[in-house]
Each structure stands twice: as structure tokens, then as C-alpha cells.
């Protein structure tokens, strides 16, 4: 893939290494190495923190010396401030990567972070993404380019855009599992220890195995149920999206992309739940979990992983641009305001809106709001990361 982005075999290998980390976070150094090789970078790091306790949920790296990891902590506050200076940071889709020399060139090269950390190591540029973004939890993934290879190129960014949803899926599922590893030798007991429902499925969404939490859900029929052995949810849209994600995972896990991340699955009492699909056909996951299963589902009622636009994008197969427009509409902005925020032409925004309406089966902004509300808890309608209570204005 270093020379040819179309190298399917190598790309699949990288994705497989990333997905192995979902059930064993200790595998991240190997996955980071694979990502660095794919993007021509020299070193990388992943971290996630609980903002309430200020504790690290995970911190793994590849190709950094211990003393340089300590030094980077000194500049952590400045680094966060640098990225906060990106004009459209909070308007970007979660899978859209940032680069220092493209997004914050002047601030970056003048920073203490660059002068005292990056430059002495010979690093010239970096690609950064946010695989975990919630009100109480934040995660970051970054790789660094050595000056001998020049600045980050559009090809490198294109590869990272392809890898970003896979990294986000792995981190999200690992977060559901509290960053714990599932041990193969004690499979059934290990799965039963988790509060999240875990269901192993074949390529046709037939249930192969369910842990104790999932069995309770299946018996109650909420938020998942079994119909002649096939897993279903109370939402026809979610069930359809789930079948698509699992079938894709069974055929080619590298093609799953954003499918099956944070699928909303309302429970019988109206409270929300989310489903995350993890392919099992590549890497070491199938060997560690179950040979007959094509995918594992992780069902959680904790909404800390809920991002309205991203959840609906996964449900209805929206592109990154359509997701960004959807997020703006859900925030109550008009098409004109959305165009200004995105820095794009009004005609382009209207094209994206038309596709969003087509894919979601809606025709107005108010209908989109009602659709989103079906999959979110009432408290999130006015809280951070959820739907606001704007004055609904026509998209016509």
C-alpha cells in the first residue's frame, strides 16, 4: 500500500490488525506500526481519557523512546490548544483527519511543542484523528512523518480517511469492554463478565452464541430479539442496517467502513441502546472468539458513545459530506448557514441535503429532527452531543 492505495490485500491486513485491538488493546503497538507503514509515517500513539476522573483509559504507542513520551506530556496543554484553533474543528466529521502543516501551519512551527519535541526528533508533520469523542471521554490517534519523507500528502490523507472508521470502531468497542482483553482460553466465562450484550453471528445474522447479558436481552425481546435464530431489533431500519453490516463483514471486513458503528436500537421502554458490529473474519479475532462466527455484536444501553449525526449516518449509509450536512441541520442551521459553516457552495449543500432526505426517507428538516429523536433519549435532546431545541426553519 505504500505505493498503491488500491492494494486490497495489504489494506485488509492493516484493517485486520486494527480490529484485533478491539478485543485486546495490547495489540495497538502492532496496529499503529501497520498504519504508519501504510501512511509513510515514522511513529504513532493512541490515547483515551475519562474527562470526569482525568484517568487514562488506554495509552499505547509505536517507535517512541520512553523519555520522549515523558516530554510530550509537558506540552500536552499547548498541543490541545493548537488543535482547538482549527476554525472548523467541531464541524468536521469525526473521521476527517487533521494535519499540522495543512490546518495550523504557522501556530505549529512556532509552538514549543514543535521546537522542543517534534523538531529534535526529526518530525515534520503529523496526521491526527479523534476516534472517541463524547462529553465525558475523549480519544486521540496520531502518526508522525519524518522530515526525510517530506510533508503529509493527499494520498496519505486518503488512506487515513479509509482507516479512520475502522480505528473508531475498534476504540468504541474496546471502550464498551472497558479496555479489557477477551481471553480465548476462557471464552464463555470472559464474555459473561461483561455488562454489554455480546452476540456472535454468522454472515446471515443467525445467532451463534450470546453472553449472559445478551441472553437476558433476547429473552425480553429488547433491544434485540431472535426470530427463528436470526437476530433482530425493534427498528426495521436498524435491523436492515445490521444485516448489511454483518453481510459485508462476512464478505470483506475492510469494506465495512462506517457500517455498523453505533446503530441505534430503541428499547421497549423507549430508552436507547447502541449496537456496534465487529468483523471476525480477519486477524486473530475469529480464533480468539469463535470459528463459526462472522461478526460480533456489542449491545450497550450506555449512551456515552452516542453521536446523533454519526449514528444516523451509520444507520442510513451517509457519506462524510452528507453526515456533516446532517449534523448541521440537526443543530438547527439553515442550508445557507450550513454552506457558510462548511465553506462550500449552496448548490453543493442542497445536493447533499437531497441525498440525506432520499436515504432517510424524509423531505424536511423538521422530519429529520423527529427521526433523530426516535433513536435518542430525551435528556440528550438538550445536552452536549445531542439534539438542541432550535427554531426549526425550512430547508426549502
Amino acid at each position: 500500500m505504500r505505493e498503491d492505495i488500491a492494494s486490497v490485500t495489504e489494506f485488509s491486513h492493516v484493517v485486520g490488525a486494527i480490529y484485533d485491538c478491539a478485543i485486546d488493546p495490547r495489540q495497538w503497538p502492532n496496529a499503529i506500526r501497520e498504519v504508519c507503514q501504510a501512511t509513510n509515517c515514522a511513529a504513532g500513539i493512541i490515547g483515551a481519557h475519562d474527562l470526569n476522573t482525568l484517568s487514562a483509559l488506554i495509552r499505547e504507542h509505536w517507535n517512541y523512546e520512553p523519555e520522549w513520551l515523558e516530554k510530550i506530556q509537558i506540552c500536552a496543554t499547548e498541543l490541545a490548544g493548537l488543535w482547538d484553533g482549527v476554525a472548523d474543528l467541531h464541524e468536521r466529521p469525526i473521521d476527517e483527519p487533521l494535519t499540522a502543516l495543512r490546518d495550523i501551519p504557522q501556530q505549529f512551527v512556532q509552538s514549543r511543542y514543535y521546537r522542543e519535541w517534534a523538531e529534535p526528533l526529526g518530525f515534520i508533520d503529523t496526521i491526527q484523528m479523534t476516534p472517541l469523542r463524547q462529553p465525558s471521554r475523549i480519544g486521540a490517534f496520531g502518526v508522525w512523518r519524518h522530515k526525510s519523507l517530506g510533508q503529509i500528502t493527499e494520498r496519505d490523507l486518503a488512506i487515513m480517511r479509509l482507516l479512520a472508521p475502522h480505528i473508531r470502531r475498534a476504540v468504541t468497542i474496546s471502550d464498551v469492554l472497558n479496555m479489557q482483553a477477551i481471553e480465548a482460553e476462557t471464552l464463555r466465562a470472559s464474555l459473561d463478565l461483561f455488562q454489554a450484550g455480546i452476540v456472535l453471528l454468522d454472515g446471515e445474522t443467525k445467532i451463534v452464541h450470546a453472553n449472559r447479558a445478551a441472553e437476558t436481552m433476547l429473552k425480553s425481546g429488547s433491544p434485540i430479539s431472535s426470530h427463528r435464530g436470526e437476530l433482530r431489533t425493534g427498528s426495521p431500519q436498524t435491523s436492515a442496517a445490521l444485516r448489511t453490516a454483518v453481510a459485508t463483514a462476512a464478505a470483506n471486513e475492510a469494506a465495512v467502513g462506517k457500517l455498523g458503528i453505533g446503530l441505534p436500537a430503541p428499547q421497549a421502554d423507549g430508552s436507547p441502546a447502541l449496537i456496534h458490529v465487529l468483523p471476525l473474519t480477519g486477524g486473530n479475532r475469529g480464533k480468539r472468539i469463535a470459528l463459526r462466527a462472522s461478526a460480533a455484536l456489542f449491545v450497550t444501553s450506555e449512551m456515552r458513545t452516542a453521536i446523533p449525526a454519526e449514528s444516523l449516518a451509520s444507520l442510513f449509509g451517509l457519506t462524510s459530506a452528507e453526515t456533516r450536512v446532517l449534523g448541521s441541520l440537526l443543530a438547527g442551521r439553515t442550508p445557507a448557514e450550513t454552506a457558510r459553516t462548511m465553506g462550500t457552495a449552496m448548490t453543493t449543500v442542497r445536493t447533499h441535503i437531497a441525498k440525506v432526505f432520499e436515504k432517510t426517507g424524509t423531505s424536511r428538516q423538521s422530519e429529520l429532527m423527529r427521526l433523530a429523536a426516535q433513536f435518542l433519549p430525551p435528556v440528550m435532546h438538550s445536552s452536549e452531543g445531542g439534539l438542541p431545541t432550535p427554531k426549526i426553519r425550512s430547508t426549502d
Side-chain angles (χ1 to χ4, degrees), residues 94 130-138 168 171-173 175-176 261-267 271-276 298-315 323 326-327 330 372-388:
I94 193 170
T130 306
L132 191 64
R133 187 176 66 193
Q134 301 141 22
S136 64
R137 306 160 92 76
I138 191 71
R168 177 161 61 93
V171 174
T172 299
I173 291 174
D175 187 43
V176 170
I261 307 177
L263 291 174
Q267 302 186 75
S271 60
L274 292 176
I275 297 177
H276 307 288
F298 297 81
V299 188
T300 175
S301 59
E302 295 186 55
M303 294 305 290
R304 67 189 186 195
T305 56
I307 301 173
E310 297 293 341
S311 291
L312 291 178
S314 179
L315 187 61
T323 302
L326 173 62
L330 292 181
Q374 294 177 20
F375 298 103
L376 297 172
V379 69
M380 290 192 69
H381 292 183
S382 59
S383 63
E384 183 179 355
L387 294 177

Side-chain angles (χ1 to χ4, degrees), residues 117 255 371 390:
W117 189 84
L371 176 66

Side-chain angles (χ1 to χ4, degrees), residues 21-43:
C21 302
I23 61 173
D24 189 353
R26 298 168 297 188
Q27 300 300 314
W28 273 114
N30 177 60
I32 294 171
R33 177 178 59 82
E34 295 284 353
V35 174
C36 284
Q37 291 178 346
T39 56
N40 291 308
C41 287

Side-chain angles (χ1 to χ4, degrees), residues 77-303:
T77 301
E78 181 189 35
L79 179 59
L82 288 174
W83 293 122
D84 283 341
V86 177
D88 63 344
L89 178 65
H90 300 291
E91 302 294 336
R92 295 189 179 202
I94 193 170
D95 293 327
E96 177 61 27
L98 297 166
T99 73
L101 294 183
R102 180 194 65 176
D103 294 299
I104 49 172
Q106 185 174 356
Q107 304 95 312
F108 176 65
V109 297
Q110 293 176 351
S111 68
R112 177 188 177 192
Y113 175 74
Y114 176 76
R115 296 193 311 270
E116 297 184 12
W117 189 84
E119 192 172 33
L121 286 173
F123 293 148
I124 189 176
D125 204 355
T126 179
I127 308 176
Q128 300 281 328
M129 62 162 292
T130 306
L132 191 64
R133 187 176 66 193
Q134 301 141 22
S136 64
R137 306 160 92 76
I138 191 71
F141 182 95
V143 292
W144 279 91
R145 173 66 64 82
H146 194 269
K147 62 183 179 182
S148 62
L149 294 174
Q151 297 182 19
I152 301 296
T153 67
E154 281 303 315
R155 172 196 170 279
D156 302 319
L157 280 174
I159 293 175
M160 186 58 81
R161 288 189 185 100
L162 291 175
L163 293 175
H166 301 293
I167 295 171
R168 177 161 61 93
R169 184 194 310 271
V171 174
T172 299
I173 291 174
S174 190
D175 187 43
V176 170
L177 299 177
N178 295 317
M179 305 296 174
Q180 299 179 48
I182 296 179
E183 301 296 341
E185 60 271 18
T186 55
L187 170 64
R188 186 176 296 272
S190 294
L191 295 183
D192 285 341
L193 291 176
F194 294 102
Q195 293 183 348
I198 303 175
V199 186
L200 308 182
L201 302 175
D202 67 13
E204 297 180 346
T205 64
K206 293 293 182 63
I207 299 171
V208 174
H209 174 74
N211 74 341
R212 186 175 301 169
E215 286 179 347
T216 300
M217 296 176 183
L218 290 168
K219 288 178 181 177
S220 68
S222 172
I224 56 176
S225 61
S226 174
H227 181 74
R228 296 179 180 176
E230 179 183 345
L231 188 135
R232 294 186 180 179
T233 74
S235 163
Q237 298 103 318
T238 298
S239 295
L242 185 59
R243 286 193 294 271
T244 299
V246 171
T248 304
N252 177 13
E253 67 178 20
V256 172
K258 298 179 181 180
L259 298 175
I261 307 177
L263 291 174
Q267 302 186 75
D269 61 2
S271 60
L274 292 176
I275 297 177
H276 307 288
V277 178
L278 176 68
L280 295 178
T281 55
N284 296 316
R285 295 173 309 288
K287 299 175 184 177
R288 290 174 62 86
I289 294 185
L291 294 176
R292 292 194 301 117
S294 297
L297 303 190
F298 297 81
V299 188
T300 175
S301 59
E302 295 186 55
M303 294 305 290

